[in-house]
Amino acid sequence: MSLTSTTPRPLIAGNWKMNGLSAALDEARAVAAGLDRRPAAARVALFPPATLLHRLAEAVEGSFVLVGGQDCHAQAKGAHTGDVSAEMIADAGGTLVIVGHSERRTDHGETCARVAAKAQAAIDAGLEPIICVGESLAQREAGEAVAFVVDQIRNSLPASLTGKAFNVAYEPLWAIGTGRVASVDNIVEMHAAIRAELIARLGDQGATVPILYGGSVKPDNAREILAAPEVGGALVGGASLKAKDFLAIIEAA
Ligand code: 13P
């Protein structure tokens, strides 16, 4: 990515998904220790499961590592057994939250409208959301990928984003956890379409919103992906579970 004065530093985000017991805090400490050796060229964030959020935030306190939640409820509080509110994430030490991950959309039937409501709740609680979009393999093979993702962007962004910090993550479903990474051409085409939609919606602000790529990002492909036009970071799953791999990806930014 070509850096200008208004371009935010790339965000390298590690989504642990439903992985990580107490022992995994050592990996977070190792990431923090690795970053302490030099000023990080990227922003770095870890998204542990909700059970570890508070302890992980304490473990990396004072380091360059930011912490976030993997999901939040659209309501601020109330009778929603098993859910976590955006304010709870902030209270536990989080400053970011992922919303609309494809695993949430698939496993929990989350619609774009629900994702937009969650993103709004995150902003209301002072969190920086990462709003996820991405097409299925069937949609890509049918030539519908760009139209589908642009539609998801239109419907998953809340109304009041003006002046608010947020990120978009493009994660093609067929590249998640498969080892099959999207080609740089696919990524560039999709990120350009997302950028155009963000500018149409938000004007100048839309030109600087980081657009992360996610889907089998590894130490050996991170540099090429992160150098592509309009790629403002990476949302990393499997390779964020080991500090060594995650630090190598950060190094590539
Ligand atoms: P993988 O890096 O394991 O493919 O996961 C990507 C992802 O879904 C991150 O949110």
Side-chain angles (χ1 to χ4, degrees), residues 15 17 101 103 171 175-178 214-218 235-239:
N15 175 11
K17 309 190 178 186
H101 192 283
E103 288 148 16
E171 298 201 303
I176 295 177
T178 58
S216 297
V217 176
K218 308 286 179 206
L235 184 51
V236 184

Side-chain angles (χ1 to χ4, degrees), residues 182-204:
S183 70
V184 170
D185 285 352
N186 285 166
I187 296 171
V188 169
E189 179 191 37
M190 191 64 83
H191 281 226
I194 293 170
R195 176 67 69 210
E197 184 56 33
L198 289 170
I199 291 172
R201 174 104 163 220
L202 294 164
D204 287 350

